[in-house]
């Protein structure tokens, strides 16, 4: 999966304006070509080892496990990647592909800023010009990451339209791409968008699951009983899930952001509470109203605050291979504090959703079982948000 | 013969290019759309493109995006667009109306229901920007069955093979996107567009319309020399918004905007025809 035209069942596809059909096809061919080239893979592997710092550890969170009082919890430490999140796995791959295609300029969209930082980082490393689109509201929430991108030499463009968050940044990046297709490579940050993006980003992120599989087997000589990851667009989740899809003994759990609660209308849980529709180049589960207009979403985590989800997740939900649940703002913040205090690891708010769900699941499964939670990023970027919740001004 | 075919046949006989304005349903105000459509026709429009407001119009520029946001804020939805066409048809049974927008509102309404409602309302063609031929396998045949055209775009980035395929698939007319960019972008190169249209004519006998980047009488006249239809959106939408803000009747402003374009296009063609006649004598 996907099929030759980029469909995962009824999901995926290439729902873009005619101007982008040419560039999307050019990218598909370039990626197919690169995929067959051992040197492309070798270069990515070298970069992941030397620049990103892979492999990341699989860490037994013993104090958290003991506190939760159930299954043993392991953390896949993507927070230890260079730039502090899994996002860099993907940007390394796409930036190397951009250079291979002879595109000197890369653009990206970002919500929490992690994908923007990762794009700016690899652009600096490879000598590419970088422009990052970011919702004005997200820029306010993620000031430090905005400065970080600028330090790395990227131009950060505030997006004032719509809800001024991730989806609007995506719209703006697509507009830039339409206007500058000749010299520009669009680095999409998640497993969404027109084919081949969902497949390509998944391939680049699958290193997470491949390592997890090997590490679990060498440490415990078995596979985990469950794997848990948060889902906004869903790239860290598909990255850790994908190498386990054929292992039926491994339960896979995706965790969406329930914001104030999925019944309140103020959330970002498109798989749990949305319906199939078309946005940003693919058919997938979406948060849209009864007239087909996209709804403004809410999550305390800017990285999960997106009204859609990658099409492969939509397909995995419908065929039942992955269970999708949700965690609200309050429970995510509790988990954020819990992990910080018990393990000395401050997680990203995105990852805190997975931690909260993982704690529930550990209790449900009970002792003698192993759960891996993907710790997709570190929480430095979220200091202001969490402090503000407690009325503290930094 | 469909309204679109009939209109193009008449224009061809008269040696004229079609003038096709785009307006967003419900902008500058919900009750202004039908009057604007009639005013455009009185001032020389041959066909009207009616925008269906969408929250995330990725292929449109800032002007049309803002118009869509205003229309949505005023409560305009897909049903209102269909209603505007119904009301327009009370007085005008001849001018073709094309709906232009994005797929999601159509899918959420249900494509079967949408096609039936559009046909009943008197719509002649539908252009969904994010639904290229590859993803139109369900909707295109449904529209065709109901006697509606599915209009497809061809862009400067469209490969020769795709041009041939779209030329075969399309009905009504082919919409050529004159530049790489979103609606309302500048920098149209008339000579390059003329060359592309010549190439496109090898693949299809359908009329060829040109849009994106046409902002005034001068560019309209230049494009009208070689295109079968001249499509103008952003600058009209901007003008209507400005008129409403200044307290001017938007329908009146629409007429004022359209008339000089009509004259410029016909004038340029007239000069062309006169020259040919002289050469023949």
């Amino acid at each position: 999966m996907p099929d030759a035209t980029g469909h995962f069942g009824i999901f995926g596809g290439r729902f873009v304006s005619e101007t982008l059909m040419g560039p999307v096809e050019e990218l598909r061919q370039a990626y197919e070509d690169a995929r067959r080239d051992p040197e492309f893979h070798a270069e990515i592997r070298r970069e992941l080892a030397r620049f990103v710092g892979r492999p990341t550890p699989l860490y037994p969170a013993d104090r958290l496990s003991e506190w939760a009082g159930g299954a043993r919890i392991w953390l896949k430490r993507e927070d230890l990647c260079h730039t502090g999140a899994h996002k860099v796995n993907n940007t390394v791959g796409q930036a190397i592909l951009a250079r291979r295609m002879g595109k000197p300029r890369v653009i990206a969209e970002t919500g929490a800023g992690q994908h923007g930082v990762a794009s700016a980082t690899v652009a600096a490393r490879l000598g590419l010009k970088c422009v990052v689109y970011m919702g004005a509201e997200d820029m306010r929430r993620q000031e430090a990451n905005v400065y970080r991108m600028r330090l790395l030499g990227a131009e950060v463009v505030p997006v004032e339209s719509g809800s001024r968050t991730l989806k609007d940044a995506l719209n703006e990046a697509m507009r830039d791409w339409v206007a500058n297709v000749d010299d520009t490579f669009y680095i999409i940050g998640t497993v969404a968008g027109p084919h081949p993006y969902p497949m390509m980003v998944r391939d680049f992120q699958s290193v997470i699951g491949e390592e997890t599989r090997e590490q679990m087997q060498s440490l415990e000589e078995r596979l985990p009983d469950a794997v848990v990851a948060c889902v906004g667009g869903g790239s860290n989740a598909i990255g850790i899930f994908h190498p386990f899809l054929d292992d039926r003994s491994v339960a896979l759990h995706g965790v969406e952001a329930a914001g104030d609660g999925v019944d309140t209308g103020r959330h970002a849980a498109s798989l749990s509470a949305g319906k199939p529709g078309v946005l940003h180049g693919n058919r997938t589960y979406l948060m849209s109203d009864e007239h087909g207009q996209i709804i403004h979403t809410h999550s305390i985590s800017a990285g999960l605050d997106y009204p859609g989800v990658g099409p492969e997740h939509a397909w995995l939900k419908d065929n039942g291979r992955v269970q999708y649940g949700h965690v609200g703002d309050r429970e995510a913040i509790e988990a954020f504090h819990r992990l910080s205090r018990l393990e000395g690891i401050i997680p990203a708010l995105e990852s805190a959703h997975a931690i909260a769900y993982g704690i529930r699941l550990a209790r449900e499964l009970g002792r003698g079982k192993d759960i891996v939670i993907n710790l997709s990023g570190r929480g430095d970027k979220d200091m202001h948000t969490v402090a503000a919740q407690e009325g503290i001004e930094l | 013969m469909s309204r679109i075919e009939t209109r193009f046949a008449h224009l061809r006989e008269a040696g004229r290019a079609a003038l096709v304005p785009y307006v967003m349903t419900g902008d500058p105000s919900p009750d202004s759309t039908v009057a604007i459509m009639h005013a455009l026709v009185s001032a020389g429009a041959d066909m009207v493109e009616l925008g269906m407001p969408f929250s995330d119009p990725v292929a449109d520029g800032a002007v049309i995006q803002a118009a869509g946001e205003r229309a949505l804020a005023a409560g305009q939805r897909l049903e209102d667009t269909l209603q505007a066409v119904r009301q327009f048809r009370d007085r005008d049974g001849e001018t073709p109306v094309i709906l232009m927008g994005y797929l999601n509102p159509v899918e959420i309404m249900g494509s079967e229901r949408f096609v039936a409602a559009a046909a009943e309302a008197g719509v002649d063609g539908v252009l969904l920007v994010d639904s290229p031929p590859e993803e139109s396998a369900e909707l295109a045949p449904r529209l065709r069955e109901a006697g509606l055209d599915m209009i497809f775009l061809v862009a400067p980035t469209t490969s020769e093979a795709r041009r041939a395929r779209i030329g075969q698939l399309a009905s009504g007319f082919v919409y050529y996107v004159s530049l790489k960019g979103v609606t309302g972008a500048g920098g149209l190169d008339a000579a390059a567009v003329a060359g592309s249209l010549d190439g496109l004519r090898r693949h299809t006998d359908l009329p060829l319309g040109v849009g994106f980047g046409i902002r005034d009488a001068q560019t309209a006249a230049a494009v009208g020399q070689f295109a079968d239809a001249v499509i103008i959106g952003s600058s009209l939408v901007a003008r209507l918004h400005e008129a409403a803000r200044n307290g001017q009747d938007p329908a009146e402003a629409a007429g004022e905007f359209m008339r000089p374009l009509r004259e410029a296009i016909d004038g340029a063609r007239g000069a062309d025809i006169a020259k040919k006649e002289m050469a023949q004598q």
Side-chain angles (χ1 to χ4, degrees):
Chain A
M1 279 289 182
D3 67 15
T5 54
H7 292 87
F8 299 88
I10 66 161
F11 302 106
R14 287 188 286 189
F15 294 87
V16 294
S17 68
E18 182 58 32
T19 308
L20 285 181
M21 285 302 281
V24 158
E25 178 57 20
E26 182 194 358
L27 174 63
R28 188 194 64 77
Q29 284 174 9
Y31 180 58
E32 287 298 335
D33 185 55
R35 242 182 152 186
R36 283 192 296 268
D37 179 359
E39 179 43 39
F40 178 68
H41 293 285
E43 185 173 5
I44 290 176
R45 267 200 308 276
R46 276 198 303 273
E47 285 299 293
L48 290 179
R50 294 194 300 215
F51 190 60
V52 174
R54 303 207 70 92
T56 60
L58 182 66
Y59 164 82
D62 290 337
R63 279 175 38 83
L64 180 68
S65 304
E66 195 183 320
W67 175 83
R72 185 169 200 192
I73 297 171
W74 301 77
L75 302 178
K76 179 58 176 166
R77 297 290 308 275
E78 292 301 295
D79 60 316
L80 293 178
C81 289
H82 179 46
T83 73
H86 71 288
K87 293 286 186 189
V88 73
N89 302 325
N90 168 44
T91 57
V92 160
Q94 288 198 48
I96 290 173
L97 186 60
R99 198 181 52 187
R100 197 181 153 100
M101 290 174 74
K103 309 273 185 187
R105 178 175 180 265
V106 296
I107 56 170
E109 82 297 330
T110 196
Q114 289 306 91
H115 175 59
V117 168
S119 299
T121 299
V122 295
R125 163 106 177 94
L126 297 181
L128 305 167
K129 182 175 161 41
C130 180
V131 176
V132 180
Y133 291 91
M134 190 168 187
E137 168 65 15
D138 288 340
M139 284 178 75
R140 190 187 58 74
R141 290 197 277 193
Q142 303 288 348
E143 255 175 289
N145 269 343
V146 173
Y147 184 54
R148 210 165 278 153
M149 286 181 262
R150 287 179 175 151
L151 283 175
L152 290 160
E155 182 192 340
V156 184
V157 181
V159 177
E160 300 282 357
S161 58
S163 57
R164 307 155 89 221
T165 60
L166 180 56
K167 83 171 172 72
D168 310 290
L170 242 143
N171 292 342
E172 219 46 52
M174 282 187 131
R175 290 196 176 103
D176 180 313
W177 198 28
V178 169
N180 299 292
V181 287
D182 293 333
D183 72 341
T184 298
F185 186 104
Y186 180 14
I187 303 185
I188 290 188
T190 192
V191 283
H195 178 62
Y197 282 103
M199 170 181 85
M200 179 171 72
V201 177
R202 172 199 74 197
D203 293 350
F204 291 143
Q205 290 293 2
S206 288
V207 66
I208 305 172
E210 283 155 17
E211 281 178 15
T212 303
R213 228 169 166 283
E214 279 166 28
Q215 288 165 325
M216 200 69 200
Q217 271 171 330
S218 78
L219 290 166
E220 296 289 292
E221 294 178 341
R222 62 188 295 260
L223 292 177
D225 299 288
V227 174
V228 181
C230 65
V231 178
S235 74
N236 90 83
I238 215 82
I240 196 165
F241 292 165
H242 209 261
F244 289 104
L245 285 181
D246 292 333
D247 301 310
R248 293 286 154 168
S249 68
V250 183
L252 304 174
H253 297 268
V255 187
E256 295 195 291
D260 292 343
V262 286
D263 306 327
T264 64
R266 282 176 51 77
H267 63 87
S270 39
L271 286 167
S272 309
K275 50 185 178 284
V278 172
L279 180 72
H280 293 151
N282 55 178
R283 177 176 281 120
T284 187
Y285 276 87
L286 285 181
M287 304 266 301
S288 69
D289 68 13
E290 74 270 29
H291 302 287
Q293 306 296 336
I294 306 305
I295 296 170
H296 289 192
T297 52
H298 166 80
S299 168
I300 189 149
S301 158
L304 300 181
D305 204 353
Y306 178 67
V309 62
E312 192 166 6
H313 284 292
W315 180 68
L316 290 169
K317 173 197 158 76
D318 279 11
N319 73 19
R321 177 63 187 97
V322 180
Q323 304 299 308
Y324 293 90
H326 48 82
V327 161
D329 287 351
R330 189 184 303 167
E331 196 183 347
I333 294 229
E334 274 170 31
F336 175 93
H337 288 297
R338 189 67 63 197
L339 191 72
S340 302
R341 291 288 180 88
L342 287 175
E343 298 288 353
I345 298 170
I346 302 176
L349 280 173
E350 290 86 341
S351 318
H353 286 74
I355 302 289
Y357 188 92
I359 290 169
R360 283 192 221 156
L361 189 65
R363 288 175 177 155
E364 209 176 283
L365 289 180
R367 291 188 190 278
K369 303 281 187 182
D370 290 293
I371 296 179
V372 177
I373 302 174
N374 199 16
L375 192 66
S376 58
R378 66 176 187 231
D380 304 38
K381 69 184 170 61
D382 296 317
M383 297 290 99
H384 282 84
T385 306
V386 176
Q389 286 283 309
E390 284 148 23
I392 300 165
E393 204 180 310
L394 297 185
Chain B
M1 241 192 333
S2 75
R3 283 192 200 99
I4 296 177
E5 269 183 281
T6 308
R7 182 54 52 103
F8 274 112
H10 287 162
L11 287 163
R12 193 167 290 169
E13 245 167 65
R16 298 173 79 191
L19 177 55
V20 185
Y22 166 100
V23 287
M24 177 64 79
T25 310
D27 185 67
S29 64
D31 54 3
S32 63
T33 301
V34 179
I36 290 171
M37 292 169 78
H38 286 306
L40 290 168
V41 173
S42 304
D46 298 296
M47 209 185 295
V48 177
E49 253 189 59
L50 199 52
M52 301 181 275
F54 181 52
S55 53
D56 294 76
V58 287
D60 285 297
V63 169
I64 289 178
Q65 179 177 28
E69 283 178 8
R70 287 191 296 269
L72 289 172
Q76 296 291 289
R77 300 294 184 267
L78 184 46
E79 193 45 61
D80 301 292
T81 305
L82 296 169
Q83 185 56 25
V85 180
R86 262 178 228 122
Q87 284 177 6
F88 176 75
R89 285 279 169 250
D90 287 346
R91 272 178 52 200
D92 188 331
E94 287 172 7
T95 307
V97 175
I98 312 291
L99 301 186
M100 184 164 183
Y102 295 80
L103 187 55
N104 201 55
V106 168
E107 288 218 336
I108 296 297
M109 177 181 271
S111 64
E112 209 172 336
R113 218 183 110 206
F114 167 77
V115 171
E120 177 269 324
V123 171
D124 302 290
V126 174
L127 198 173
L128 296 170
V129 181
D130 55 355
S131 192
E134 286 83 347
E135 303 290 358
S136 301
E138 187 185 314
L139 194 58
R142 269 207 182 127
L143 286 167
R144 203 176 305 126
E145 248 168 66
L148 272 66
D149 292 316
M150 184 145 191
I151 315 288
F152 289 112
L153 301 167
V154 169
T157 51
T158 305
S159 67
E160 205 55 34
R162 277 180 66 77
R163 283 175 194 233
R165 200 162 145 226
I166 294 169
Q168 300 278 305
L169 263 172
S171 61
F173 67 96
V174 175
Y175 188 133
Y176 184 75
V177 176
S178 66
L179 44 83
K180 294 174 195 169
V182 292
T183 56
L188 180 139
D189 178 350
V193 175
S196 293
L197 255 50
D198 281 344
L200 206 49
R201 285 191 207 281
R202 285 200 299 273
H203 300 302
T204 182
D205 295 330
L206 288 173
L208 305 180
V210 173
F212 287 47
I214 297 163
R215 43 178 49 171
D216 51 26
Q218 204 185 348
T219 39
V223 170
Q225 300 259 38
F226 52 80
D228 301 305
V230 178
I231 304 159
I232 185 153
S234 293
S235 56
L236 171 59
V237 169
R239 179 64 205 283
L240 296 178
H241 179 53
E242 188 195 301
R245 274 195 316 193
N246 296 336
Q248 193 193 354
D249 173 24
E252 186 189 297
E256 279 171 16
F257 181 87
M258 216 39 18
R259 259 173 238 116
L261 293 179
R262 177 80 269 171
E263 282 163 17
I265 292 173
D266 289 348
R269 279 269 185 133
D272 205 32
I273 293 163
K275 249 185 265 166
K276 269 185 206 154
E277 278 170 359
M278 274 168 67
Q280 278 167 1
Q281 276 171 4

